[in-house]
């Protein structure tokens, strides 16, 4: 009977043991024939069935273990496609992201190669976060709002529930910026974002739309409830004062457009709520809702 380890010659062993990436060779009988020093658990798994090794690899999600098991079997039969699987380890954060590749080697054996791609995934996630979120406040940005808001409206239309868009603008914010400087103004915007976020319901979408403008898409709500929620947003910005003792308190004017009563597209809702917000600046309570007479989109 051929020894599966004979497929790895001494010179190859020397090279494999020097590699920083964990790798293992599974023989044609499904027994782990070789691991290099970088493999988790080291040589203790040599001589064990690879299925048993996967079953006891606690940090591998069961779904990933099943895919790896099938990939090893395919490699041993010479039917592998060289595809790689990426998965996040189970356990306390920060979890590692691992890439596993199983390829066929001589003698009906399979080689499993592990690669830690955590840093690459973190960079990708950071880029995705920057693309969809405002760097100053951490809220969704205009791009994310337009994309996610369109999806939310389509879902609301399908299920026939009401929604409302709130357009929030800080009153006299330019005066705060001019008198105290942009660094102070940025700090005020961050505090405003935190207060708005605390008052936002699960399932609603809050975003910084630009400058001192914020928008909220309220899910499954009627016009009267949207007005009440807008008033709570205004109250949250005033008490306690964001800038204690400031001559110009931080206040907001809010325009509201309802779906489907006022409009049925996100673009039209934004246009109507923006116009209502400007009217709200001269309203006694700082909130104006658009009349429910659907506007052509």
């Amino acid at each position: 009977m051929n020894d599966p380890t004979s497929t790895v010659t001494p010179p190859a062993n020397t090279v494999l043991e020097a590699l920083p990436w964990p790798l293992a060779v599974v023989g044609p009988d499904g027994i782990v024939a070789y691991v290099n020093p970088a493999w988790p658990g080291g040589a203790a798994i040599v001589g064990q069935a690879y299925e048993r090794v996967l079953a006891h690899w606690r940090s591998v999600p069961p779904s990933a273990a099943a895919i790896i098991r099938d990939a090893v079997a395919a490699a041993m039969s010479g039917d592998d496609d060289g595809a790689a699987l990426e998965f996040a380890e189970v356990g306390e954060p920060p979890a590692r992201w691992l890439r596993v590749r199983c390829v066929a080697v001589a003698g009906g054996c399979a080689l499993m190669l592990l690669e830690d791609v955590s840093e690459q995934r973190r960079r990708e996630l950071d880029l995705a976060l920057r693309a969809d979120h405002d760097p100053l406040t951490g809220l969704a940005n205009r791009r994310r709002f337009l994309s996610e808001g369109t999806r939310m409206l389509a879902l609301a239309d399908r299920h026939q529930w009401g929604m409302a868009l709130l357009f929030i603008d800080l009153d006299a914010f330019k005066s705060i910026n001019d008198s105290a400087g942009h660094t102070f103004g940025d700090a005020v915007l961050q505090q405003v974002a935190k207060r708005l976020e605390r008052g936002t319901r699960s399932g609603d979408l809050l975003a910084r739309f630009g400058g001192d403008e914020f928008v909220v898409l309220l899910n499954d709500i009627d016009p009267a409830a949207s007005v009440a929620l807008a008033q709570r947003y205004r109250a949250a910005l005033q008490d306690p004062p964001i800038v204690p003792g400031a001559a110009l308190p931080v206040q907001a004017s809010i325009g509201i457009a309802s779906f489907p009563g006022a409009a049925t597209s996100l673009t039209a809702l934004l246009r109507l709520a923006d116009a209502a917000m400007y009217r709200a600046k001269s309203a006694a309570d700082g909130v104006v809702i658009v009349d429910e007479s659907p506007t052509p989109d």
Side-chain angles (χ1 to χ4, degrees):
M1 180 177 178
N2 291 332
D3 180 358
T5 60
S6 65
T7 61
V8 182
T9 63
N13 271 344
T14 302
V15 173
L16 296 181
E17 292 190 3
L19 290 176
W21 307 290
L23 58 87
V25 176
V26 179
D29 55 0
I31 302 299
V32 178
Y34 169 83
V35 295
N36 71 349
W39 187 272
I45 68 169
V46 173
Q48 298 184 35
Y50 80 91
E51 291 186 340
R52 172 180 166 79
V53 172
L54 287 174
H56 288 81
W57 194 354
R58 300 299 184 190
S59 63
V60 179
S63 57
I67 296 173
I68 296 171
R69 184 176 60 247
D70 293 344
V72 171
M76 288 191 298
S77 67
D79 193 30
D80 72 286
D81 58 6
L85 165 70
E86 289 188 11
F87 65 90
E89 286 188 304
V90 176
E92 293 297 320
R96 290 191 307 168
W97 275 88
L98 297 179
R99 178 184 293 145
V100 181
R101 191 184 303 275
C102 300
V103 295
V105 293
C109 299
L111 184 145
M112 286 193 294
L113 176 65
L114 294 183
E115 183 182 0
D116 187 339
V117 293
S118 304
E119 188 58 36
Q120 176 184 332
R121 288 304 300 264
R122 275 193 286 269
R123 286 197 299 268
E124 291 171 352
L125 291 172
D126 183 59
L127 287 173
L129 186 68
R130 290 174 183 271
D132 285 343
H133 290 76
D134 172 55
L136 178 65
T137 63
L139 299 180
N141 61 12
R142 179 190 293 254
R143 176 178 178 274
R144 170 73 183 278
F145 183 83
L146 294 176
S147 172
E148 184 68 12
T150 299
R151 186 196 65 80
M152 290 171 63
L153 286 181
L155 191 64
D157 183 56
R158 187 177 310 128
H159 294 282
Q160 296 296 296
W161 63 56
M163 300 187 72
L165 190 148
L166 274 57
F167 205 111
I168 305 170
D169 182 80
L170 302 184
D171 298 333
F173 181 73
K174 185 177 183 302
S175 298
I176 294 175
N177 248 346
D178 290 346
S179 60
H182 290 285
T183 300
F184 183 81
D186 285 349
V188 169
L189 289 173
Q190 290 171 333
Q191 289 301 313
V192 167
K194 288 179 181 179
R195 295 197 185 187
L196 293 177
E197 196 168 24
R198 282 198 295 266
T200 300
R201 308 174 308 168
S202 174
D204 293 343
L205 177 62
L206 167 66
R208 183 185 178 202
F209 213 56
D212 60 341
E213 296 176 337
F214 299 82
V215 286
V216 192
L217 191 57
L218 305 177
N219 209 5
D220 194 11
I221 196 168
D222 60 49
S226 69
V227 171
L229 189 54
Q231 294 290 10
R232 288 201 294 273
Y233 275 131
R234 292 191 78 245
L237 296 181
Q238 296 177 49
D239 188 22
I242 289 179
V243 187
L248 292 170
V250 177
Q251 296 180 332
S253 297
I254 304 177
I256 307 172
S258 62
F259 169 92
T264 56
S265 76
L266 188 60
T267 302
L269 288 171
L270 282 165
R271 184 178 68 252
L272 293 172
D274 185 23
M277 177 270 295
Y278 281 102
R279 296 199 301 275
K281 289 186 177 295
S282 57
D285 60 0
V287 175
V288 167
I289 184 168
V290 176
D291 292 336
E292 291 207 5
S293 50
T295 300
D297 297 334

